Amino acid sequence: MTSAGNGASPTIYDVAQAAGVAPSTVSRTFSRPGRVNAQTAERIRQVANELGYRTNPLARGLPTGRTSLLAIVVADVTNPFFFEIIRGAEKTARDAGYTLLMVDAHESDEAERRALDRTLPLVEGLILATSRLSDSSIRVAAKQRPTVVMNRHMTDVPSVLTDNAQGMRSAVEHLAGLGHTSLAYVAGPEASWADGMRWRAFREATREAEVQARRIGPFAPTLAGGLSAAKSLVKHPATAAVAYNDLIAIGAMRGLRRLGVEVPRDLSIVGFDNIFGSDFCTPPLTTVAAPLRHFGSFAVQRLLAQLRTSPAPTAGPTLLPAKLVERGSTGRPA
């Protein structure tokens, strides 16, 4: 028995012709084997194997919605914040028999919306990691596919987020304990839900600690954003600063060094997230650590719970703990 000619991959029609059955019978053999006579199904599988025919699970799954594909949409794949999240999510999905697709939204709500339009028809479930979409846009997506959002609180869509309030409180208490009385919050992107929550928690924590607080920004959540923030920190002096994320904090330290400001002698800096590389910079960065790999894994677990349970489990937030990791970027004020 020979395979399809001209080097082309054999099709369902080649298998049907070789086995002497209708193409629909071949299709049922692989998609609904219980509806085909056992002897016929065995003959079809044998012929398919000899021809080198392989089923396409994606094409077969599109009509039913069962593709064994999940998607995770990240704001910026070059941001190390997502490295461990993706690793944890991918392993949990793989262990459950799913393949995880990764989509980069490039910090753009428009790009994210276009990516969802293309991706949603292909996947069984969706994870939005630090989405820049509005709540209403997320609800539209969640009506089409089971959805979990990360780093954002939504009452009607399952969410997984870091305990921003506790993390920020520990950062402010650490700085106040070192003797700092004037603190700055270096803000991230305005469209970020997490940025709003961290600024609110910063204000509350500074009031409790009875220290002065100011906000500068917003800045892009990148090293370049941190370099820009350094100039603002010099114009609006404080003795310590807490940045929206580690990339801004590391970029700010580089910028301050170029401006002749020494960390932590002249200014203490705290980051947020404890990304890969936060201990590689000089000085190593004090930061609020989020359990990033567990973050990704737990998001997939919540998504799988929706896929397996009917009716879907009750929506609502899951809060993961955050803790301060003290390193060399903080010290007593000069």
Side-chain angles (χ1 to χ4, degrees):
M1 189 173 291
T2 60
S3 61
N6 301 323
S9 299
T11 68
I12 193 172
Y13 301 101
D14 298 321
V15 176
Q17 182 179 12
V21 298
S24 59
T25 304
V26 178
S27 176
R28 284 195 298 272
T29 297
F30 293 106
S31 62
R32 299 179 180 179
R35 297 184 60 184
V36 179
N37 177 276
Q39 291 181 337
T40 302
E42 178 59 30
R43 184 170 79 254
I44 290 172
R45 281 192 288 268
Q46 182 179 352
V47 168
N49 185 58
E50 292 174 357
L51 285 175
Y53 171 76
R54 296 291 182 269
T55 60
N56 183 337
L58 178 58
R60 188 175 70 244
L62 287 177
T64 64
R66 299 301 305 274
T67 63
S68 296
L69 296 177
L70 306 176
I72 181 169
V73 181
V74 301
D76 179 5
V77 72
T78 65
N79 187 335
F81 170 73
F82 295 107
F83 293 173
E84 289 296 297
I85 288 177
I86 294 171
R87 183 63 58 86
E90 192 279 330
K91 183 181 186 304
T92 303
R94 175 163 35 90
D95 290 346
Y98 287 83
T99 298
L100 184 70
L101 306 181
M102 195 284 299
V103 179
D104 186 355
H106 302 281
E107 289 286 353
S108 165
D109 58 341
E110 283 298 322
E112 186 172 355
R113 190 174 291 106
R114 289 195 301 268
L116 287 183
D117 289 341
R118 293 190 295 266
T119 304
L120 281 173
L122 306 177
V123 300
E124 293 187 41
L126 177 69
I127 297 171
L128 297 175
T130 62
S131 176
R132 301 303 183 231
L133 295 176
S134 65
D135 285 359
S136 59
S137 294
I138 291 176
R139 291 187 184 101
V140 170
K143 289 179 180 178
Q144 298 176 64
R145 290 291 187 270
T147 299
V148 172
V149 294
M150 299 179 66
N151 236 16
R152 182 168 179 163
H153 180 281
M154 295 189 69
T155 57
D156 50 352
V157 179
S159 57
V160 182
L161 57 153
T162 305
D163 192 341
N164 287 288
Q166 178 55 45
M168 187 61 76
R169 186 177 298 110
S170 65
V172 170
E173 289 176 351
H174 168 66
L175 293 171
L178 290 172
H180 292 278
T181 58
S182 177
L183 308 184
Y185 175 70
V186 186
E190 287 184 295
S192 167
W193 179 90
D195 178 73
M197 289 301 297
R198 290 173 186 178
W199 165 236
R200 183 183 305 173
F202 180 83
R203 286 187 300 172
E204 293 176 356
T206 51
R207 280 198 295 266
E208 292 173 4
E210 298 182 342
V211 297
Q212 294 180 359
R214 63 167 55 90
R215 181 182 187 272
I216 63 171
F219 299 98
T222 61
L223 292 174
L227 288 171
S228 298
K231 300 174 184 177
S232 295
L233 283 169
V234 171
K235 291 179 182 178
H236 306 282
T239 61
V242 180
Y244 162 74
N245 69 358
D246 288 345
L247 285 181
I248 289 179
I250 294 169
M253 287 198 296
R254 290 183 182 179
L256 290 167
R257 188 181 305 116
R258 295 174 185 176
L259 295 170
V261 178
E262 185 176 331
V263 175
R265 186 195 66 187
D266 303 320
L267 180 72
S268 288
I269 292 186
V270 178
F272 224 100
D273 296 326
N274 196 32
I275 62 171
F276 175 80
S278 59
D279 56 342
F280 293 172
C281 53
T282 303
L285 181 65
T286 295
T287 182
V288 177
L292 298 181
R293 184 171 295 216
H294 185 56
F295 212 12
S297 176
F298 199 86
V300 172
Q301 290 176 32
R302 290 214 65 179
L303 190 58
L304 293 175
Q306 293 185 70
L307 291 169
R308 293 169 177 166
T309 307
S310 182
T314 303
T318 298
L319 207 60
L320 299 182
K323 64 178 182 179
L324 186 73
V325 177
E326 297 181 28
R327 299 192 182 111
S329 67
T330 52
R332 293 189 174 280

